[in-house]
Amino acid sequence: MDCKNSVPVEYTLITDSTSTIDNIKMIKEIGLSKFTKNRNILNLIRFFILSVYVFFHSLFRVVTCEAKVMVSFGPIISIPYLFWGKLCGKKVVHVETWSRFYSKSITGKFAYYIADEFVIQNEELKTLYPLAIYGGRL
């Protein structure tokens, strides 16, 4: 395969999974933000502080990156990135999780209105997201 004319691509992974970070070695930059699921008051305070940080950090990341397209595959942490990407004139694509058949994900509820293209992987979701594109299992 001849790559002489290829353009370098920068990837940034934003995830809430430490194991994902450990398994990916080829990505140059990785943003990690771990959201806890315990609902005690201390964790709620941490969640709020981390959310404010992610909101402004995502603005910095979106403004400084040269990406023309932003693709989300579902974690709720991607919402600020999609929001800023849309405001900065980038094309925003969201792919709804394949595990949803009859209900919307929290991220999908927001991304449906932000994304330029909203892709679903199960035809049953077409009733919940009428303007979505059915992409099949991706």
Side-chain angles (χ1 to χ4, degrees):
M1 184 171 162
D2 185 17
C3 296
K4 284 189 278 190
N5 297 326
S6 63
V7 177
V9 178
E10 177 184 333
Y11 294 92
T12 300
L13 174 66
I14 307 301
T15 183
D16 57 359
S17 170
T18 306
S19 62
T20 302
I21 299 299
D22 294 338
N23 292 330
I24 297 177
K25 305 294 184 203
M26 66 187 145
I27 295 180
K28 184 171 70 171
E29 295 183 37
I30 297 176
L32 173 64
S33 185
K34 184 74 176 155
F35 283 87
T36 181
K37 294 188 173 151
N38 294 335
R39 301 260 195 267
N40 64 38
I41 190 69
L42 184 60
N43 285 336
L44 289 174
I45 293 169
R46 285 183 191 146
F47 178 81
F48 176 76
I49 293 169
L50 184 58
S51 296
V52 171
Y53 168 77
V54 167
F55 186 75
F56 291 107
H57 181 262
S58 61
L59 172 61
F60 172 76
R61 294 292 300 162
V62 169
V63 168
T64 58
C65 83
E66 296 180 16
K68 293 183 174 101
V69 179
M70 300 182 69
V71 181
S72 164
F73 288 93
I76 196 165
I77 195 170
S78 66
I79 291 174
Y81 290 86
L82 299 178
F83 174 77
W84 292 122
K86 185 71 170 183
L87 286 179
C88 290
K90 300 176 188 300
K91 182 175 182 179
V92 174
V93 178
H94 176 75
V95 180
E96 182 70 329
T97 179
W98 65 270
S99 63
R100 295 290 174 162
F101 286 86
Y102 306 107
S103 64
K104 297 178 179 183
S105 68
I106 294 173
T107 308
K109 290 176 184 178
F110 290 100
Y112 183 68
Y113 298 102
I114 297 172
D116 296 309
E117 291 186 19
F118 190 89
V119 180
I120 55 173
Q121 299 185 57
N122 295 307
E123 290 185 72
E124 291 84 355
L125 287 176
K126 197 69 168 161
T127 57
L128 298 173
Y129 301 114
L131 301 177
I133 300 166
Y134 174 66
R137 290 282 170 96
L138 304 175

